[in-house]
Amino acid sequence: MAAHALVLLPPERIAAADSACWHDWLTPEEISFSRGFRRAHEHLAARKAAKLAVASLLDVAADPGFCRAVGVLRAPGSGPVIRLGGALGELLGTRALPHPRVSLTHARGHAAALAWLPVPKAGGR
């Protein structure tokens, strides 16, 4: 299993913001949040890229069930965080893995996400 995963979505792989296909990849909350921005298609695609990166990181298929169980959330004043629901949360415990972290970016029609497993700090600090 990799310690990190990077996914880049070029413009030709990003649907329009009003496309119904986003419902296959994102939760209603993610869609609503992203559509509130100018260049909403890039925000939507960055969340899709995050889910693909987390799936790769955990070595699981990024099927609709996985995508519905993963949330890419952003609390006010903080960066994006990954919410793993149901069996995915249990998977981390079974594999003794830390909770994945994610970073999103988008510009000029592209979107990307980097997912990684944090390394415990030396000395427990």
Side-chain angles (χ1 to χ4, degrees):
M1 178 180 330
H4 65 276
L6 174 66
V7 172
L8 171 65
L9 297 175
E12 62 270 12
R13 290 189 52 206
I14 299 176
D18 61 354
S19 173
C21 75
W22 293 115
H23 295 280
D24 295 336
W25 292 99
L26 305 177
T27 66
E29 295 81 16
E30 292 166 321
I31 293 169
S32 177
F33 175 81
S34 297
R35 286 185 176 158
F37 290 96
R38 195 173 143 254
R39 298 188 343 253
H41 64 293
E42 291 178 8
H43 288 267
L44 292 159
R47 280 156 179 73
K48 176 183 175 181
K51 293 180 184 206
L52 295 174
V54 169
S56 177
L57 182 69
L58 299 178
D59 196 29
V60 298
D63 60 22
F66 174 86
C67 291
R68 282 190 292 275
V70 173
V72 182
L73 310 173
R74 182 168 178 210
S78 71
V81 295
I82 296 294
R83 178 193 66 212
L84 298 174
L88 289 173
E90 294 172 15
L91 176 70
L92 291 179
T94 301
R95 294 185 185 175
L97 295 173
H99 195 87
R101 304 291 193 263
V102 67
S103 180
L104 311 179
T105 191
H106 52 83
R108 296 185 181 219
H110 293 78
L114 172 66
W116 70 94
L117 295 174
V119 177
K121 293 180 181 178
R125 299 191 285 189

